[in-house]
Amino acid sequence: MVVLGLVGSLAACTTADAPEESADCTPTSAGTESDSVTVDGDFGAAPTVTFETPLTTEETQRTVAISGDGTVAEEGDVVTVDFQLYNATSGEQVSGTEFAEGSTTTFSVDSEAYLTGIVKTLECSAVGSRVVGVIPPADSWGDTGATDLGVAATDTIVLVMDIVDVTTPVTTDETLPKADGEDQELPEGFPAIGVTLAEDGTPTLTLPGGDAPTELQLAVLKKGDGPEVATGADVQVHYVGMKWSDGTVFDESWSSGTPVSFNTAAVIPGFTQALEGQTVGSQVLVVIPPALGYGEASADNTNALAGETLVFIVDILGLGT
């Protein structure tokens, strides 16, 4: 599936007196390396992070810098975080959020969906906590590294995360064959995109031509009465994706006969915005500008969909995988 896709004065970072855990959750242990990372700043504000380079470890270590008392993240949960990611060889920050309103991202406590070291750092962390993970290559990108982030195959990484929220995804027992919600009127000013549905629900789109919208445009064509798609939920959908520039279909699921499953945190931002907050049984039509898709084309961004405004029609058929 194309849209699946993916970063001053110092106070010592010390292990909290009572690290988060529950009867069913035992956290990854702290170690000399994770305890050596120093962090300054309040929860929710961008921290100042310093450590001696190069920093290496043979196994993931996790230290709690600030201990929260909220919901504890356990296997299968979706965790909303602000984070900073560092190359532990060079000491350079290579990815992260802005630690500002609306800047958070989400990860699942699922080692099949995310790097093992991220999951080990997240697991057993409570809302309100700031945790530090020191993660070896074996628990990150292994032999390949992450060249787009400037992380070599031999580099350890340092991850600092503020745990903002923890949710447990809802799973439905049934997957619909097609969206069955009540028909809705298009919002005023929405692009004149024609939609024709086959008997089995397969949609055909006709684009209006002209200049592409510069901001995300979203319309609910059918409003379902199923459960709501939460932040970082696992969903089952059918979809068609087209390029505004020439009207070609670049990806779709209907021809396979089987809905596609993914986590809403693992897709392009515009697709995430189109799904979260909607309900099972709904059909949504969304126009996604490059900034919320695959970015603008450049020498460093050669993705085939870079610079393209994308149009998706999506049937939300179930939750869970």
Side-chain angles (χ1 to χ4, degrees), residues 262-279:
F262 57 87
N263 188 280
T264 59
V267 294
I268 56 175
F271 211 77
T272 302
Q273 292 182 28
L275 295 180
E276 291 181 349
Q278 306 298 339
T279 51

Side-chain angles (χ1 to χ4, degrees), residues 195-214:
V195 179
T196 303
L197 301 179
E199 186 174 347
D200 68 353
T202 302
T204 299
L205 300 181
T206 304
L207 303 185
D211 293 338
T214 58

Side-chain angles (χ1 to χ4, degrees), residues 232-297:
D234 292 320
V235 294
Q236 300 177 56
V237 308
H238 265 317
Y239 69 95
V240 172
M242 299 180 70
K243 295 190 293 184
W244 183 283
S245 61
D246 59 13
T248 59
V249 174
F250 62 85
D251 198 17
E252 58 86 27
S253 64
W254 286 93
S255 60
S256 71
T258 303
V260 173
S261 298
F262 57 87
N263 188 280
T264 59
V267 294
I268 56 175
F271 211 77
T272 302
Q273 292 182 28
L275 295 180
E276 291 181 349
Q278 306 298 339
T279 51
V280 171
S282 296
Q283 181 181 71
V284 296
L285 180 61
V286 61
V287 182
I288 303 174
L292 295 174
Y294 292 91
E296 297 292 349

